[in-house]
Each structure stands twice: as C-alpha cells, then as structure tokens.
Amino acid sequence: MTDRELDAAGITDPELRAAYRHCRALNARHGRTYFLATRLLPVERRPAVHALYGFARWADDIVDSVDPGAGTELRVRALTRLEEEMEEGLRRNAGGEPVVRALADTARRYAIDHDHFRDFMAAMRSDLVVTDYPSYADLRGYMHGSAAVIGLEMLPVLGTVVPREEAAPYAAALGVAFQLSNFLRDVGEDLDRGRVYLPADLLAGHGVDRELLVWSRATGRPDGRITAALREFEALTRGVYRAAMPGVDLLEPVARPCIRTAAVLYGGILDAVARDGYSVLHRRSVVPRRRRAVVAADGLVRVAAARLRARSGPGSGPPDRARTLPATATATPRASASDVRSAEEVA
C-alpha cells in the first residue's frame, strides 16, 4: 500500500497501515487481474478493496495451500481460528491477523453487512468437504458465498447512483461471472485438489465424468467430449457476464472504469481458453501481457474522462442502462501508445 493511498483514505494508525499493506501485497502476488483493475479506482478507495480481497485470499490459501498430506483436520482448525478471529475483529474493530484488522476497519468505514463475511466463510468450509456439484443450481448455491457476496461487499466501496439494492443483483452476478471464468481456467488444478466445479449434469450431457477428466489430466490426451463440455460451460459463463454488465452503469462514474476493466480482463480468460483449444486440463490459459496492458490503458482513459466529468458538476446525466458492453470488448475511446506503455508497467 502506498503512503499516498493510505493518507488519502485517512488511515493513520501505524499498525493498521501495516495491515492494509499486507493485504495489498497478497493481492499483488495472487490476484493480478483484479489488482490491475483496482489501480483505476480513486486512490482513497483502493485500501478498502485490498482489505476485502486480502481477507478472501488468506482464507482461500488456508483451504488450498495447507499441506494435503495433513488431511482436512489442519485446514478445519486453521479456518475455524480465522473465522473466530473475524467475528471478534468485527465486534471490536480489531484483530491479531493483519487481514482481519484491515477487514474490520473497512467493514466499519463502509458499513458492510457482516453476514456477507459469514456467508463467505461458510463457502470456504464447504470446500473442505464438497468435491463436486450435481447441477448448476447446486454450484450457484456455493457461489453465493464464494463469489456473489464479494460483489456485494464491494458495492459500498464503489458507490452507486441508484439505491444500493437495485445494483446488488448485478454486483452479485458479476462476482459469479468472475469465478466461473476462474473455474474454467483452473479445471486441471482443481482436479488435482480433488474438486470438480463443472456441474455433473452438464458434463454428463456430453458423456463426461470425473474418471474421464482424471484420465485426460494424467495422460495429457484431449477428448472431444471434454472439449464440448468446456465449450458449453464457456457459453454459460458468457451469459452470466451479459446479465451482469448493465450494473456497471449503476455505479458511481469514477468507479465504472475499474469494474469495466476487471470484467474485460476476466472475460479475456474465456478468450484465452478458447484460443488454446480448451486444453485447460493440460495447461493454464493466460491473457497475454500486452492485451492486459491495452485494456488497462483504455481504463486509464475512462478514468480521466470520468474525473473530468466529475469536476464539471452534476451535469453528467443518469446512467445509460440501455448500453451493455460485451465481456470481451475493449473500452473506448482508444488509448494512446504512451498509455499502453504506462499500463504495461503494472500489467
């Protein structure tokens, strides 16, 4: 966390500043896509976003990164300790863990509903025992806590130009779209952890089951049935993006470039998977660095335009609800070459 960001947010306590810096480092290391998009937010709002995502990263690391040889008991104990500390931290606006300290402070500053954090922790607990999902409806139940609530937590930080409850369904849907993109990209890695997030009925519709996925992962050999199932999952995910994107125009104008850029970058994961021939069981598809830089640069252009409109007063007009940006489209106006070079430094 830069001093400029912390100063702008009015965070002065040395221990609290250190906690926010810790969260920022977690996001920079593990969440490059959203970290890049966060750079487009007004400087005073960035610490809150890093606190929310830093806490989520910490919990996710407990679920996924503890030595598998120790079984689930160690994970359960670590997650329980974190949840207990989270509850205490939210009550007292404190916490021993830096991620909890920053989360509690952000929740207080933005009056974020504590139930969102509880729902998130419930989803993390389920990851320790649930290894597959019979249907998309079952998967959506899990994603309420693992993804939708992240979007809901973000709304008070981003701000809205309509009552918050009107924007909430779109924010939740976009969180789900982001996670579905990650599920498609990470099919092989998740399988190594014993989990299959693609719904079993979707797979079965193409003659695919866990055994076939394991075989393909182990042998490195593709299978047309798997490709067809992955293509259907991609189409499902794009549909969620289309449903979510009108919500961007319900956000405060200065927050829109960040979320629009994040949506384009996450949507780019789908493009990368398709470009690689849906070989996600055999290698990780990535959005090219140059593409990330171009999208980020276009976001910078939008930020400048939004700030100019904000300075001109309340004449910027209501949100344009009829305009929906496709998840894979780049923003306009076009960025200059110098904008792209600047963005490449952080992409």
Side-chain angles (χ1 to χ4, degrees):
M1 192 71 60
T2 66
D3 287 338
R4 175 170 169 261
E5 290 170 342
L6 294 168
D7 292 343
I11 300 168
T12 58
D13 178 78
E15 289 189 0
L16 193 55
R17 288 169 74 94
Y20 275 103
R21 286 193 182 96
H22 178 69
C23 291
R24 185 182 192 273
L26 284 173
N27 292 332
R29 184 165 66 249
H30 295 301
R32 292 182 60 195
T33 296
Y34 205 83
F35 178 79
L36 176 59
T38 300
R39 299 288 293 273
L40 303 178
L41 277 176
V43 63
E44 71 276 4
R45 304 190 197 188
R46 296 175 199 169
V49 177
H50 291 311
L52 295 174
Y53 274 80
F55 178 83
R57 289 283 172 187
W58 193 263
D60 191 60
D61 281 350
I62 290 174
V63 172
D64 287 340
S65 300
V66 177
D67 180 7
T72 61
E73 185 177 348
L74 182 59
R75 292 182 177 90
V76 170
R77 289 202 302 267
L79 207 58
T80 299
R81 284 195 301 271
L82 179 62
E83 187 166 17
E84 290 172 348
E85 185 163 354
M86 179 197 78
E87 291 286 0
E88 181 69 11
L90 291 172
R91 281 195 299 269
R92 298 177 50 247
N93 189 34
E97 284 284 359
V99 293
V100 172
R101 195 177 306 128
L103 179 79
D105 184 67
T106 291
R108 177 189 62 81
R109 289 171 182 266
Y110 289 94
I112 299 173
D113 188 343
H114 293 181
D115 283 341
H116 296 329
F117 307 123
R118 297 182 182 113
D119 289 347
F120 172 76
M121 293 303 293
M124 294 300 97
R125 287 197 304 273
S126 76
D127 261 336
L128 299 178
V129 293
V130 178
T131 59
D132 51 44
Y133 295 87
S135 68
Y136 183 60
D138 296 307
L139 183 63
R140 284 298 298 259
Y142 163 75
M143 288 190 296
H144 166 74
S146 64
V149 297
I150 304 297
L152 298 175
E153 292 167 12
M154 285 284 294
L155 268 186
V157 180
L158 299 173
T160 61
V161 295
V162 297
R164 193 177 299 167
E165 59 270 19
E166 185 176 335
Y170 297 101
L174 193 56
V176 168
F178 290 170
Q179 185 163 66
L180 289 172
S181 298
N182 288 341
F183 284 162
L184 182 61
R185 179 195 63 197
D186 298 340
V187 170
E189 296 171 20
D190 289 330
L191 190 63
D192 292 343
R193 300 184 182 105
R195 303 190 200 118
V196 177
Y197 288 106
L198 276 63
D201 59 353
L202 183 152
L203 294 173
H206 297 277
V208 179
D209 56 17
R210 179 186 286 262
E211 287 69 29
L212 183 60
L213 295 175
V214 171
W215 170 83
S216 180
R217 177 74 167 168
T219 63
R221 295 174 61 182
D223 186 285
R225 293 167 294 178
I226 295 175
T227 299
L230 295 173
R231 187 178 288 116
E232 181 180 345
F233 192 79
E234 177 206 357
L236 182 155
T237 303
R238 292 191 188 277
V240 178
Y241 276 106
R242 287 192 294 272
M245 287 304 292
V248 175
D249 286 326
L250 306 185
L251 302 175
E252 289 185 2
V254 293
R256 293 173 197 167
C258 166
I259 301 306
R260 197 181 300 277
T261 297
V264 173
L265 290 172
Y266 273 97
I269 294 173
L270 305 179
D271 295 333
V273 168
R275 184 184 64 245
D276 291 343
Y278 302 92
S279 59
V280 290
L281 280 167
H282 313 127
R283 66 170 181 157
R284 184 183 180 94
S285 296
V286 298
V287 179
R289 181 184 175 92
R290 179 69 175 179
R291 169 63 174 165
R292 288 162 52 86
V294 169
V295 173
D298 283 341
L300 289 172
V301 172
R302 286 186 176 272
V303 167
R307 290 174 181 170
L308 183 61
R309 287 193 297 269
R311 292 193 196 102
S312 67
S316 56
D320 181 1
R321 302 184 192 183
R323 178 168 51 85
T324 302
L325 182 72
T328 56
T330 56
T332 53
R334 294 184 63 84
S336 67
S338 61
D339 291 328
V340 174
R341 286 194 296 271
S342 297
E344 282 183 317
E345 297 175 2
V346 296

